[in-house]
């Protein structure tokens, strides 16, 4: 028997899980070295090895699927489960920070002046840049849906155009948030308000950057004809992740920016 | 299971219309709103050394250890007061 008689993908041995784990260990040790011993070398090495691992691992997946045809419908179903579970884990990650925010803001302590926002904190006006950011992410949700439908209908030009608009909107959001971070009169060191604000929005911003990167990869793959009109799970995974990022922002906007102001 | 075919033929055209006539103009209006509101916001609140703000339990691992990552001298004060006064 020289061929498999099942529809699963028995992946060839790969070094990337090990290099990924090692880079994660380096990253944690690197942070300790930076925080406590003023040394950046381990951290820098960890960022390099982590990036190389991600690049090569995902490159191999593209090779196995697009070029070698290992992604049968069965395999794709498994990937769908995987992506959904991953996004679920991320949702739980954010729920922790929302828990922290509501814990502190629903019953503000006397040390804060017994109020939320705490005495001396001047929150950002939710009807200015935060509202713009909301419109930007909602718009990007519309444009990515246009991209998906164009892809399914086999319209290459429109898929590229819509994906590009989505990516530009993502970049616009990131630039606006960085500007907001500089312009805010409060900082991360301003007690529990600063901590909850910047940790929650900061992790969200990181996810926007990750999502934008994922979309850029999809853009390049679409340019090089990787996707077909009925098999493009990489694109779908990116779209799911992007919608998730949008939904987290909506919760942030309503809780921290609007209710919390 | 492969990805779903669009349930309505030509639905991409609807999303394209929504993108150009609703989503992007919405962004435009919001941008304009920010731009118009931004004129005349120069004053900053009076500085009071509240103990619950500008906390420094441990120096930051960068610079002089006393500035946050996105420190803006114009609007952010240090624990002892504004730098640029």
């Amino acid at each position: 028997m020289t061929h498999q008689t099942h529809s699963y993908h028995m992946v060839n041995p790969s070094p990337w899980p090990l290099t990924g784990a090692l880079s994660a260990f380096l990253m944690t040790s690197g942070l300790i070295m930076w925080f406590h011993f003023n040394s950046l070398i381990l951290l820098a090495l960890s960022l390099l090895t982590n990036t190389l691992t991600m690049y090569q691992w995902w490159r191999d997946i593209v090779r196995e699927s697009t070029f070698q045809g290992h992604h049968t419908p069965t395999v794709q179903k498994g990937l769908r489960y995987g992506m959904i579970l991953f996004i679920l884990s991320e949702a739980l990650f954010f729920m922790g920070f929302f828990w922290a925010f509501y814990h502190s803001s629903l019953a503000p302590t006397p040390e804060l002046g017994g109020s939320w926002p705490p005495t001396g904190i001047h929150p950002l006006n939710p009807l200015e840049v935060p509202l713009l950011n909301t419109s930007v992410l909602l718009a990007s949700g519309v444009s990515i849906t246009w991209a998906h439908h164009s892809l399914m209908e086999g319209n290459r030009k429109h898929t590229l155009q819509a994906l590009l608009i989505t990516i530009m909107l993502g970049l616009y959001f990131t630039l606006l948030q960085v500007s907001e971070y500089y312009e805010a009169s409060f900082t991360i060191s301003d007690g529990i308000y600063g901590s909850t604000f910047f940790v929650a929005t900061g992790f969200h911003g990181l996810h926007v950057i990750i999502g934008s990167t994922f979309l850029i990869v999809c853009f390049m793959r679409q340019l090089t004809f990787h996707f077909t009109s009925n098999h493009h799970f990489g694109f779908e995974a990116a779209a799911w992740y992007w919608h998730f990022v949008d939904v987290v922002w909506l919760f942030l906007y309503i809780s921290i920016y609007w209710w919390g102001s | 299971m492969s990805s779903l075919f669009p349930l309505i033929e030509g639905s991409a055209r609807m999303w394209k219309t929504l993108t150009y006539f609703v989503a992007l103009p919405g962004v435009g209006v919001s941008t304009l709103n920010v731009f118009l509101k931004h004129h005349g916001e120069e004053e900053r609140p009076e500085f009071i050394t509240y103990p619950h703000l500008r906390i420094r339990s441990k120096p930051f691992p960068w610079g002089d250890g006393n500035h946050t990552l996105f420190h803006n001298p114009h609007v952010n004060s240090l624990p002892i007061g504004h730098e640029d006064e």
Side-chain angles (χ1 to χ4, degrees):
Chain A
M1 200 147 72
T2 54
H3 66 280
Q4 70 180 48
T5 53
H6 59 79
S7 57
Y8 294 92
H9 181 199
M10 305 306 288
V11 182
N12 291 131
S14 160
W16 311 131
L18 179 62
T19 62
L22 288 171
S23 77
F25 186 33
L26 265 177
M27 201 171 281
T28 47
S29 331
L31 284 168
I32 292 169
M33 289 304 289
W34 184 38
F35 291 153
H36 296 279
F37 303 108
N38 199 33
S39 164
L40 272 167
I41 180 75
L42 281 190
L43 189 62
L45 196 59
S46 75
L47 290 170
L48 178 68
T49 51
N50 192 242
T51 309
L52 281 172
T53 298
M54 291 191 288
Y55 176 76
Q56 291 173 108
W57 195 338
W58 281 320
R59 175 208 63 194
D60 283 356
I61 295 174
V62 169
R63 285 175 175 178
E64 289 157 8
S65 57
T66 305
F67 303 138
Q68 293 175 359
H70 287 289
H71 285 198
T72 62
T74 310
V75 171
Q76 204 191 104
K77 190 171 185 200
L79 292 170
R80 283 175 191 275
Y81 276 127
M83 192 65 193
I84 287 167
L85 288 170
F86 173 65
I87 291 176
L88 200 61
S89 78
E90 295 254 77
L92 291 167
F93 177 72
F94 276 98
M95 278 182 210
F97 296 117
F98 277 100
W99 182 349
F101 169 73
Y102 277 112
H103 174 96
S104 299
S105 59
L106 283 167
T109 64
E111 287 86 351
L112 302 174
S115 65
W116 194 275
T119 311
I121 293 281
H122 303 273
L124 300 165
N125 186 344
L127 299 173
E128 290 182 16
V129 175
L131 185 62
L132 170 58
N133 273 344
T134 305
S135 72
V136 168
L137 285 184
L138 287 174
S140 71
V142 173
S143 60
I144 199 174
T145 308
W146 173 30
H148 192 195
H149 282 257
S150 303
L151 180 56
M152 290 191 285
E153 288 179 13
N155 192 327
R156 175 182 166 77
K157 193 184 83 168
H158 282 178
T159 305
L160 287 166
Q161 199 182 113
L163 243 184
L164 191 64
I165 289 174
T166 310
I167 292 166
M168 307 273 268
L169 286 168
L171 261 38
Y172 189 29
F173 177 93
T174 304
L175 288 169
L176 284 166
Q177 269 299 67
V178 172
S179 149
E180 281 285 90
Y181 272 26
Y182 268 113
E183 295 298 316
S185 63
F186 54 89
T187 70
I188 197 172
S189 64
D190 284 328
I192 194 60
Y193 184 90
S195 299
T196 49
F197 181 91
F198 285 104
V199 169
T201 61
F203 270 118
H204 174 261
L206 179 65
H207 284 68
V208 171
I209 292 168
I210 291 168
S212 302
T213 308
F214 199 168
L215 289 171
I216 290 171
V217 168
C218 285
F219 183 81
M220 301 207 287
R221 292 187 68 200
Q222 168 68 358
L223 266 180
T224 48
F225 301 93
H226 286 204
F227 300 132
T228 72
S229 59
N230 63 351
H231 188 163
H232 43 259
F233 178 65
F235 177 88
E236 289 183 66
W240 290 352
Y241 196 77
W242 192 253
H243 285 304
F244 163 71
V245 160
D246 186 6
V247 168
V248 171
W249 171 259
L250 294 174
F251 278 98
L252 280 173
Y253 181 71
I254 288 168
S255 306
I256 297 183
Y257 286 91
W258 195 352
W259 177 83
S261 71
Chain B
M1 124 195 143
S2 61
S3 61
L4 305 157
F5 282 101
L7 294 170
I8 317 149
E9 267 311 310
S11 53
R13 182 127 164 264
M14 176 188 81
W15 288 103
K16 178 180 177 181
T17 312
L18 278 171
T19 302
Y20 282 118
F21 285 92
V22 178
L24 292 178
V27 171
V29 163
S30 305
T31 304
L32 198 67
N33 176 46
V34 168
F35 188 72
L36 292 173
K37 276 193 177 173
H38 221 66
H39 284 263
E41 313 233 356
E42 297 304 328
E43 27 154 313
R44 68 185 176 200
E46 181 201 340
F47 177 79
I48 303 170
T49 39
Y50 287 119
H52 67 285
L53 300 180
R54 296 168 278 269
I55 294 172
R56 297 286 187 273
S57 319
K58 183 186 199 306
F60 292 107
W62 54 75
D64 70 348
N66 203 20
H67 293 75
T68 59
L69 201 58
F70 290 86
H71 180 81
N72 180 344
H74 183 69
V75 288
N76 300 135
S77 58
L78 298 180
I80 36 97
H82 280 276
E83 284 177 298
D84 54 354
E85 258 159 18

